[in-house]
């Protein structure tokens, strides 16, 4: 499989799915570390963009069978985020 034209993670996932028909199970441990560490928007926004591009990308949806983040309640999150 030639990955020379792949520029990002989405490209790699799409290439494998197109050529092999294999889907991906994505588990991101500690996905919430930037929230817990209360990093600034200059770090948080690109990370949130990455997650959105991975899990909300219509082209990738067929290639990703399951995404399993650790479920937590962020009532005290500085950004007011809730993942339930």
């Amino acid at each position: 499989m030639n990955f020379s034209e792949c520029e990002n993670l989405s490209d790699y996932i799409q290439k494998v799915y197109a050529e092999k028909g294999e889907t991906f199970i994505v588990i991101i441990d500690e996905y919430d570390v930037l929230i817990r560490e209360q990093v600034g928007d200059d770090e948080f926004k690109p990370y949130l963009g990455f997650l959105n591009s991975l899990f909300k990308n219509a082209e990738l949806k067929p290639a990703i069978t399951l995404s399993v983040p650790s479920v937590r309640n962020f009532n005290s999150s500085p950004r007011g985020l809730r993942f339930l």
Side-chain angles (χ1 to χ4, degrees), residues 35-36 38 44 73-83:
I35 296 166
R36 281 196 326 267
Q38 299 181 21
F44 184 72
N73 185 345
F74 287 99
N75 286 332
S76 60
S77 167
R79 291 180 177 14
L81 298 175
R82 276 190 138 184
F83 297 94

Side-chain angles (χ1 to χ4, degrees), residues 39-71:
V39 300
D41 282 348
D42 59 323
E43 292 178 279
F44 184 72
K45 285 184 178 183
Y47 179 66
L48 189 59
F50 164 73
L51 293 178
N52 282 329
S53 71
L54 188 59
F55 298 118
K56 293 191 175 192
N57 182 329
E59 294 176 13
L60 287 180
K61 281 186 180 182
I64 298 178
T65 301
L66 178 66
S67 59
V68 185
S70 176
V71 178

